[in-house]
């Protein structure tokens, strides 16, 4: 770093007001408050049940042990549950993004008749609680023979996530420069070519953000997979964690170990796509 840059940074530090320092302190405190549950989770994940019962949840482990991880891994067949979650979340993320692009292209650029009413209906559908969807979805998938089938989860979440994606993208595509589209049409480009060669490359950052969010949202969902996946072999990670709790008994240390280890796949996924996610958000902000 040059001397001029050092002098500039020192000047910026001097210009900070008391209000700026107060905001920084409040942000640090807020970060620590948000980090506290994760710290407690880590402390209890490496304890024995006897250590937890004797010293409570906030004490340092008397001796670090992996018993909770081993018990959870073998009890629920964790690799199988991870694969089920990856398979379901990955397919939903891809299908929902593709469906959102086609829907939004038709609504935002294709200018179909009644597009405002369609977007309004999609927005209202996004506001419906999942509890209201359970019974009609149960009847429908029971009738078509997809109940207790992982594909039912893929179909349900693809529709739910693509509804949000369509609402988001249609407003973005609605502001797409008409001059570019008219020039492409004059040059003889078809609708498919406009979507593939013009609209899709420009909207890649937004689609990358949607892909990451759709994957994580589907991975973390519990209620619909619990209602539609009965067989143990098809269940996802959140259901496996919930199975550790009984009516009158709960192994806290094993549950903490399960919660900690279940974070790892999504954390790896986030780290792999962190640059893409950051670029997508930054590009969207600039545009």
């Amino acid at each position: 770093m040059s001397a001029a840059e050092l002098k500039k940074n020192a000047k910026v530090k001097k210009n900070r007001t008391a209000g700026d320092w107060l905001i920084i302190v409040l942000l640090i405190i807020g970060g620590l408050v948000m980090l506290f549950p994760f710290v407690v989770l880590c402390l209890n994940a490496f304890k024995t049940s006897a250590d937890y019962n004797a010293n409570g949840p906030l004490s340092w482990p008397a001796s670090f042990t992996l018993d909770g991880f081993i018990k959870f891994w073998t009890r629920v067949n964790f690799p199988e549950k991870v694969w089920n979650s990856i398979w379901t979340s990955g397919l939903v993320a891809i299908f929902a993004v593709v469906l959102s692009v086609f829907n939004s292209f038709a609504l935002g650029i294709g200018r179909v008749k009644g597009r405002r009413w369609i977007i309004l209906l999609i927005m209202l559908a996004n506001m419906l609680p999942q509890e209201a969807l359970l019974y009609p979805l149960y009847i429908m998938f029971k009738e078509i023979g997809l109940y207790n089938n992982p594909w039912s989860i893929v179909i349900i979440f693809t529709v739910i996530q693509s509804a949000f994606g369509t609402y988001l993208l249609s407003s973005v595509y609605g502001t797409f420069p008409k001059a570019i589209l008219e020039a492409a049409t004059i040059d003889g480009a078809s609708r498919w070519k406009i979507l593939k060669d013009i609209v899709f490359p420009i909207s890649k950052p937004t689609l990358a953000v949607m892909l990451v969010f759709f994957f994580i949202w589907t991975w973390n969902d519990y209620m619909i997979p619990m209602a539609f996946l009965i067989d143990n072999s098809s269940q996802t990670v959140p259901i496996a964690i919930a199975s550790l709790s009984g009516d009158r008994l709960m192994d806290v240390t094993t549950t903490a170990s399960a919660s900690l280890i279940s974070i790892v796949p999504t954390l790896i996924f986030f780290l792999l796509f962190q640059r893409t996610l950051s670029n997508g958000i930054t590009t969207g902000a600039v545009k």
Side-chain angles (χ1 to χ4, degrees):
M1 187 178 290
S2 64
E5 290 176 339
L6 289 172
K7 192 178 293 184
K8 184 178 179 181
N9 289 339
K11 187 177 180 181
V12 170
K13 290 181 180 179
K14 289 180 181 178
N15 289 337
R16 282 180 179 164
T17 63
D20 295 333
W21 287 110
L22 178 62
I23 292 174
I24 292 173
V25 171
L26 290 176
L27 288 174
I28 293 174
I29 294 173
L32 293 175
V33 170
M34 295 179 66
L35 192 62
F36 180 73
F38 181 73
V39 173
V40 174
L41 184 70
C42 291
L43 287 175
N44 293 296
F46 296 97
K47 289 180 183 177
T48 62
S49 298
D51 185 10
Y52 176 85
N53 294 330
N55 301 313
L58 300 180
S59 63
W60 191 261
S63 61
F64 285 86
T65 178
L66 298 177
D67 290 347
F69 295 96
I70 296 171
K71 190 185 298 184
F72 173 69
W73 189 282
T74 55
R75 179 174 172 180
V76 304
N77 193 2
F78 184 66
E80 180 185 65
K81 302 302 183 289
V82 169
W83 168 247
N84 291 339
S85 290
I86 291 175
W87 183 84
T88 303
S89 303
L91 286 181
V92 168
I94 294 171
F95 291 162
V97 168
V98 172
L99 190 58
S100 298
V101 170
F102 285 129
N103 291 342
S104 304
F105 183 78
L107 293 172
I109 295 178
R111 300 291 180 178
V112 298
K113 291 183 178 180
R115 60 180 296 274
R116 290 184 178 178
W117 289 104
I118 295 174
I119 293 174
L120 177 62
L121 288 174
I122 292 174
M123 183 185 70
L124 293 175
N126 280 318
M127 297 171 63
L128 280 175
Q130 289 187 359
E131 291 83 354
L133 303 175
L134 278 180
Y135 184 71
L137 287 174
Y138 168 79
I139 296 298
M140 181 175 69
F141 282 98
K142 197 82 171 177
E143 289 293 328
I144 63 177
L146 281 180
Y147 182 71
N148 194 26
N149 189 315
W151 279 106
S152 64
I153 304 300
V154 173
I155 295 170
I156 291 170
F157 279 119
T158 296
V159 174
I160 291 175
Q161 310 290 27
S162 65
F164 174 80
T166 300
Y167 176 71
L168 176 67
L169 274 181
S170 59
S171 59
V172 175
Y173 287 174
T175 61
F176 204 86
K178 293 182 180 180
I180 298 177
L181 302 175
E182 290 172 356
T185 304
I186 293 173
D187 290 340
S190 63
R191 290 276 184 178
W192 169 249
K193 191 171 181 61
I194 291 174
L195 173 61
K196 181 172 67 73
D197 296 337
I198 300 175
V199 177
F200 177 73
I202 292 176
S203 57
K204 270 184 180 180
T206 304
L207 299 182
V209 174
M210 288 172 53
L211 183 75
V212 174
F213 283 149
F214 289 169
F215 182 93
I216 294 176
W217 289 345
T218 306
W219 178 286
N220 290 329
D221 200 278
Y222 167 74
M223 186 177 62
I224 290 180
M226 179 195 66
F228 282 83
L229 299 177
I230 305 303
D231 291 342
N232 182 61
S233 60
S234 62
Q235 291 176 349
T236 56
V237 172
I239 304 176
I241 297 174
S243 68
L244 299 175
S245 303
D247 292 336
R248 297 180 176 83
L249 180 65
M250 179 177 179
D251 189 343
V252 177
T253 55
T254 303
T255 304
S257 302
S259 301
L260 187 60
I261 198 174
S262 68
I263 297 173
V264 174
T266 50
L267 184 61
I268 293 173
F269 180 82
F270 176 79
L271 292 175
L272 289 174
F273 288 91
Q274 183 182 16
R275 185 180 296 275
T276 304
L277 183 63
S278 301
N279 292 340
I281 293 174
T282 304
T283 305
V286 172
K287 287 183 180 180

